[in-house]
Amino acid sequence: MSKNLKDFGIDKTLKNLGIKEENKGTSTGGKFFASGKTIESFSPVDGKLIAKIKSSGENDYYKVIDTAQKAFQEFRLIPAPKRGELVRQLAQKLRDYKDDLGKLVSYEMGKSLQEGLGEVQEMIDICDFAVGLSRQLHGYTMHSERPGHRMYEQYHPLGIVGIITAFNFPVAVWSWNAALALICGNVTIWKPSEKTPLCAIACQNIMAAVLKENNLPEGISSVLVADHVIGQKLVDDKRIALVSFTGSTRVGRMVSSKVAERFGKSILELGGNNAIIISKDADIDMSVIGAVFGAVGTAGQRCTSTRRLIIHESVYEEVKNRLVKAYGQLKIGNPLNEKNHVGPLIDTDAVKQYELSIKKCEKEGGKFIVEGEVLKGKEYESGCYVKPCIAEVKNSYEIVQHETFAPILYLIKYKTLEEAIAIQNDVPQGLSSAIMTQNLREAELFLSHAGSDCGIANVNIGTSGAEIGGAFGGEKETGGGRESGSDVWKYYMRRQTNTINYTAQLPLAQGIKFDI
């Protein structure tokens, strides 16, 4: 283990979370095992090796599936409030390990320590939400047209829920799915990003402790640290009732078609190309704060990151100048240092995409008012640190239509609100959107049928920072899936309509009679 880990206290964090120098990446809730290749987790913070992980092989996959199927037969029979108690205990464990898990998220993924801690808090929040929900998994009672009959509907568990997550939220997205899936009576199999495997192992250690303390069988919660080959098996497997996939639109399209071919269910959380409209009636102070946080938070690697600012021509120059000044004050560096605003990108491949996007923007005619660059020096030795940049563009540029997972912000000018909304909607993605205005008519138009076409539409807050109480997800190439709050629990269950005849007669449909 690198000496550098001791400088940040990461060595103690790893020990507390049960992570060693050499780890195995398959678990059904008990001990870890694995027979695949060895992968290495490097931190984008300093480029140092954190630990090695033996990944899941084909035989490991089949063992996990078999164990999960057996666990489901038992777990589905446990009353929902009792399953809620399991999730309540998970929330308590997460509170106990919040500092350690938040620090690991920050170090392995590269987001700021405060964001890492905030991500763990999201896990706690969704668990709390799910605990209450475990006593509210309701159906409806309907009046039958037939005398002496009662109709109602109820919801049943699906079975095995497969969860495939991305690197940018290495723990929260798992919890959004797992907390709801568990209270609904399902069992889960998690394939995390290969870029953040240690976060998944830490979560599985925490979950395994809860299962053991409750004398529950292995297979209720499983993890597969594996490559895309195992991921493909999970997508193709008919025994996986639901696949929740978070990642690129390109891969999501494949996942959707493969799962649909076998008549499975899928939840897709794909790309975002999010915009904030800044009206002539906006509070400029609020607007600049919201835009900067949305654009540079998590180094622009959130699916809800602000990519575009659509600014009214009358306030365009003021907003632009304020942004340039704000960007000049950003501190870029080690995300474990709370004085820094911006940490690294996830890896050097992401840095290459950042550079290519800047070049393409310039080639298409974009004018950079804050120049981008890859930062050099001892503090940036991982090679993953870049400077957030701003360009004046047209929405029609191909690069603007594309989602780049990096802190590149595009400025676009508009004249009328109808024009701004049309610009906002004129991209393939439809995740998050926002308008900054103190004009009630503008706010209502933005939220109306003629307004934003995104799954999330905000007024006087930015595009990122969604709460777990609301359904999270988007339309168009964002995939149409929903996770987290509201009535999303219904995605994790199958609906059944029941009719009970409590008479001595059997009336037949359409008035048909059989004289038997």
Side-chain angles (χ1 to χ4, degrees):
M1 200 171 287
S2 168
K3 291 182 179 179
N4 221 49
L5 300 183
K6 295 182 179 179
D7 297 339
F8 305 140
I10 299 297
D11 55 336
K12 293 181 181 178
T13 291
L14 296 176
K15 183 178 180 180
N16 292 341
L17 293 171
I19 295 171
K20 305 171 184 177
E21 291 185 47
E22 304 276 347
N23 303 272
K24 294 181 178 180
T26 312
S27 173
T28 53
K31 293 182 179 179
F32 279 83
F33 57 96
S35 60
K37 66 180 182 180
T38 297
I39 62 175
E40 297 175 325
S41 180
F42 291 91
S43 172
V45 174
D46 55 12
K48 303 298 182 182
L49 176 66
I50 310 173
K52 296 180 180 180
I53 308 96
K54 192 84 168 176
S55 67
S56 304
E58 187 172 344
N59 291 335
D60 303 318
Y61 173 80
Y62 291 122
K63 182 176 179 180
V64 166
I65 291 290
D66 290 341
T67 308
Q69 283 187 302
K70 291 175 184 176
F72 173 63
Q73 300 305 315
E74 180 177 339
F75 191 61
R76 64 179 177 173
L77 301 178
I78 297 174
K82 296 289 186 182
R83 301 193 296 256
E85 170 60 16
L86 176 72
V87 175
R88 186 197 67 78
Q89 292 178 35
L90 173 60
Q92 186 56 53
K93 291 279 189 191
L94 290 171
R95 288 181 172 91
D96 295 340
Y97 287 100
K98 180 178 177 179
D99 288 346
D100 286 320
L101 189 53
K103 184 178 286 188
L104 177 60
V105 168
S106 178
Y107 189 63
E108 188 175 35
M109 185 269 152
K111 63 176 60 177
S112 72
L113 178 59
Q114 199 57 44
E115 287 182 284
L117 294 171
E119 185 170 343
V120 180
Q121 185 61 49
E122 281 190 38
M123 302 175 78
I124 295 166
D125 292 343
I126 191 61
C127 286
D128 288 349
F129 178 89
V131 171
L133 190 63
S134 68
R135 295 181 180 272
Q136 302 176 64
L137 300 179
H138 57 78
Y140 293 100
T141 299
M142 291 78 76
H143 289 278
S144 173
E145 65 183 34
R146 293 169 286 191
H149 287 62
R150 180 166 69 88
M151 289 179 64
Y152 71 97
E153 63 180 26
Q154 61 179 327
Y155 288 83
H156 297 290
L158 288 173
I160 302 176
V161 171
I163 305 168
I164 303 174
T165 59
F167 72 85
N168 59 333
F169 280 85
V171 296
V173 175
W174 167 72
S175 70
W176 292 356
N177 287 276
L180 295 186
L182 290 171
I183 61 108
C184 290
N186 304 295
V187 298
T188 65
I189 298 175
W190 179 18
K191 185 205 168 298
S193 169
E194 290 178 82
K195 298 180 180 182
T196 50
L198 299 177
C199 288
I201 291 173
C203 289
Q204 183 69 354
N205 282 337
I206 293 169
M207 187 69 196
V210 177
L211 294 174
K212 185 177 181 180
E213 289 167 8
N214 287 270
N215 198 29
L216 288 169
E218 290 189 33
I220 291 173
S221 174
S222 302
V223 65
L224 288 163
V225 175
D227 60 17
H228 70 281
V229 175
I230 298 297
Q232 185 65 56
K233 284 186 175 296
L234 194 125
V235 169
D236 292 338
D237 199 321
K238 292 182 179 180
R239 294 168 293 182
I240 309 295
L242 168 67
V243 175
S244 176
F245 173 80
T246 302
S248 70
T249 296
R250 179 185 61 82
V251 178
R253 186 174 283 111
M254 179 274 293
V255 170
S256 176
S257 62
K258 289 294 184 180
V259 174
E261 279 180 13
R262 60 179 178 81
F263 297 104
K265 299 176 69 175
S266 60
I267 297 174
L268 302 174
E269 297 291 351
L270 311 177
N273 195 345
N274 317 294
I276 298 176
I277 297 173
I278 300 181
S279 159
K280 64 182 185 304
D281 296 321
D283 181 317
I284 302 301
D285 289 338
M286 285 177 57
S287 300
V288 171
I289 292 171
V292 173
F293 174 74
V296 308
T298 322
Q301 295 173 111
R302 295 185 179 205
C303 50
T304 55
S305 289
T306 304
R307 310 285 176 203
R308 298 173 295 146
L309 284 187
I310 305 166
I311 309 168
H312 191 271
E313 59 183 4
S314 66
V315 295
Y316 183 86
E317 290 300 322
E318 180 183 358
V319 172
K320 182 175 76 171
N321 292 335
R322 294 275 294 273
L323 287 169
V324 171
K325 182 179 179 181
Y327 270 52
Q329 298 171 350
L330 292 175
K331 294 180 180 178
I332 306 166
N334 180 354
L336 293 169
N337 182 343
E338 295 187 39
K339 294 181 180 180
N340 291 326
H341 303 110
V342 184
L345 295 180
I346 186 64
D347 55 26
T348 53
D349 286 339
V351 173
K352 291 175 184 176
Q353 289 302 314
Y354 163 85
E355 293 180 295
L356 288 171
S357 296
I358 289 174
K359 290 178 181 178
K360 188 162 188 177
C361 182
E362 290 175 328
K363 187 175 181 180
E364 290 190 74
K367 177 186 175 184
F368 278 86
I369 58 174
V370 175
E371 297 286 343
E373 65 175 306
V374 180
L375 300 176
K376 308 293 183 182
K378 188 175 181 180
E379 187 179 1
Y380 311 119
E381 60 185 337
S382 69
C384 297
Y385 291 86
V386 301
K387 184 180 175 184
C389 55
I390 305 174
E392 295 179 290
V393 300
K394 293 181 180 178
N395 200 65
S396 59
Y397 291 175
E398 195 279 332
I399 191 60
V400 176
Q401 296 282 311
H402 174 77
E403 179 190 39
T404 301
F405 243 44
I408 303 174
L409 180 62
Y410 301 117
L411 305 189
I412 304 163
K413 191 182 297 185
Y414 80 91
K415 292 183 179 181
T416 68
L417 183 57
E418 289 77 8
E419 178 192 4
I421 292 172
I423 293 170
Q424 137 72 38
N425 294 341
D426 189 23
V427 291
Q429 310 83 0
L431 179 52
S432 187
S433 59
I435 186 171
M436 296 292 188
T437 183
Q438 297 180 83
N439 184 317
L440 180 60
R441 290 179 176 176
E442 288 189 331
E444 290 294 339
L445 177 61
F446 180 73
L447 299 176
S448 74
H449 297 322
S452 170
D453 66 359
C454 294
I456 299 169
N458 299 326
V459 176
N460 291 329
I461 60 172
T463 59
S464 59
E467 296 183 37
I468 59 92
F472 179 88
E475 301 302 317
K476 302 189 293 187
E477 288 192 1
T478 303
R482 293 297 185 275
E483 292 174 328
S484 194
S486 187
D487 64 347
V488 170
W489 63 270
K490 293 179 180 179
Y491 277 67
Y492 301 88
M493 304 196 83
R494 58 180 177 87
R495 182 159 62 179
Q496 183 182 79
T497 300
N498 307 117
T499 305
I500 300 172
N501 177 5
Y502 55 90
T503 73
Q505 306 297 319
L506 183 59
L508 302 177
Q510 289 84 45
I512 296 172
K513 294 183 178 180
F514 280 102
D515 296 322
I516 298 175

